[in-house]
Amino acid sequence: SRPFAGEDLIKALDVFDKTVAVYVKKIQLSERTSVHVHIDVRDLTYKQLMRFVSLYATFEEVLFRAAGGVNRKNGIFATSLSNAEGYLSVLGKHGEDPTKGATISVMRHFSKYSACNLAAVPVYGSLEFRNHEGTYDITRILRWINILLSLRKEAVRSEEHTSELQSH
């Protein structure tokens, strides 16, 4: 119902581990099962959002491996951003104005089955990541969330660092 962060996230994963996962751990996960993580981007500028997506795209191959989702990359439920070059080039052309109709339209029509789902941005205010294979292991899930949050943090930090350099 709302984004989780910090201790709330740890508590939510603990509740998952102690309740939901206890009952379903006996069920074999299929290749269609995955962990979807939404990272809140509502406070990012358009430039920071595009930097976040660019960082993700740069490391996408490694991220699939880190998420145990190498098989997902070749499936239809978490396609690689390299398959969406046309969409990304259109987004890049709109500079810093996310209110332009074409930008919102491109995001809304982005495939929800992309490993990095931009269609979630205008709907939920988040980037959705679908790379991670299905797991009940909350340590792996938390590690994945931290990797994604690190990319987000770097997208913001690198813009701030660039701004500092330009002002000198």
Side-chain angles (χ1 to χ4, degrees), residues 56-114:
Y56 167 83
T58 300
F59 297 105
E60 185 174 56
E61 185 68 34
V62 174
L63 292 169
F64 267 110
R65 279 188 257 139
V70 175
N71 292 332
R72 291 186 58 69
K73 181 183 139 204
N74 299 319
I76 61 170
F77 300 106
T79 58
S80 169
L81 272 186
S82 62
N83 295 329
E85 277 184 47
Y87 283 112
L88 295 178
S89 65
V90 170
L91 287 173
K93 289 178 185 173
H94 293 297
E96 297 182 37
D97 188 357
T99 61
K100 287 187 177 179
T103 304
I104 299 300
S105 178
V106 169
M107 285 186 186
R108 284 205 170 113
H109 289 95
F110 210 84
S111 171
K112 76 174 189 173
Y113 294 114
S114 296

Side-chain angles (χ1 to χ4, degrees), residues 32-38 72 77 112 128-132 144:
R32 291 182 57 174
T33 307
S34 65
V35 174
H36 298 198
V37 174
H38 286 256
R72 291 186 58 69
F77 300 106
K112 76 174 189 173
E128 178 189 24
F129 296 90
R130 304 168 58 94
N131 310 58
H132 207 290
W144 177 237

Side-chain angles (χ1 to χ4, degrees), residues 47 51 158-168:
K47 209 173 201 177
R51 186 166 285 144
S158 59
E159 182 179 21
E160 290 169 354
H161 182 67
T162 303
S163 297
E164 288 174 18
L165 291 174
Q166 290 172 348
S167 68
H168 290 298

Side-chain angles (χ1 to χ4, degrees), residues 29 41 48 78 88 91 114 140:
L29 297 174
V41 296
Q48 290 168 336
L88 295 178
L91 287 173
S114 296
R140 285 187 62 209

